[in-house]
Amino acid sequence: MTQGVDHLQANGYAFACPAELLDPGLPPALPPTRSLAQVSEAIAEAGHTREVVDALSELTAPGDGVLDQVVGALQVTASWWEGLGGASDPHYAARLRYIAAMAEGYVREIRAMRGDLADRHTAHPGLARPAPQAAASGVDARVLAALAASPTSTRALTGHPAESVLTAAPGTVRSTGPRR
């Protein structure tokens, strides 16, 4: 249950459950899966918004994203520095807290931009890749984009007839566009 809650929180969901079901002694379930260099490389090579959204999720995931961890480390460092007892230590601690607060604001802004990008569902015009499922199936790309879930979420099919486009093998779906 603890890992399930960790996964939900890492994806930005608020979740409450009885405390006796959670084990606070367990380590976080979702360490970053890529180094920062790999994240940068993935973004540089991305041909579609979903690839960049996936890479940015490593940085912006609430709680266990790299950027939230940096902010937490700055706050802990400020508390530690304040306890040194030197005359200038409170100044440095206050400065670190200020920097952490500024960084936290930037993290929220980047997270919001990542969310906006997740809604785009488009290929980068300068980085052409093989045609997506829409061209192969003959279905308008806008229809697929409307049916697609966020690239970082798992799709739960509802039984709607249009969902067959998402699960059909390429080439087996006919376009339902206007007839001329």
Side-chain angles (χ1 to χ4, degrees):
M1 180 68 149
T2 301
Q3 283 188 332
V5 171
D6 288 344
H7 283 279
L8 288 171
Q9 289 174 338
N11 287 304
Y13 294 96
F15 190 84
C17 70
E20 61 270 7
L21 296 177
L22 301 177
D23 183 0
L26 290 176
L30 300 172
T33 58
R34 298 186 259 195
S35 70
L36 290 177
Q38 290 170 323
V39 170
S40 296
E41 185 178 321
I43 292 171
E45 295 174 356
H48 197 277
T49 54
R50 74 178 151 263
E51 297 169 72
V52 177
V53 167
D54 182 47
L56 283 177
S57 294
E58 295 276 343
L59 303 176
T60 62
D64 69 342
V66 173
L67 296 176
D68 274 355
Q69 292 179 40
V70 168
V71 169
L74 290 174
Q75 292 168 339
V76 168
T77 303
S79 295
W80 180 87
W81 202 316
E82 195 168 50
L84 283 178
S88 62
D89 294 340
H91 167 74
Y92 288 120
R95 187 73 182 142
L96 280 171
R97 284 191 182 93
Y98 171 78
I99 292 168
M102 294 296 292
E104 194 169 25
Y106 294 133
V107 171
R108 284 192 304 271
E109 189 174 347
I110 294 166
R111 193 175 289 140
M113 287 189 284
R114 179 225 162 264
D116 290 345
L117 187 61
D119 293 336
R120 296 282 299 269
H121 304 287
T122 187
H124 190 285
L127 301 170
R129 293 262 175 104
Q133 179 183 358
S137 68
V139 176
D140 188 344
R142 294 173 296 170
V143 171
L144 286 176
L147 291 172
S150 172
T152 59
S153 70
T154 305
R155 173 171 278 288
L157 297 178
T158 63
H160 188 279
E163 289 177 336
S164 64
V165 171
L166 296 173
T167 57
T172 61
V173 179
R174 294 185 318 210
S175 176
T176 57
R179 294 189 179 119
R180 296 182 185 162

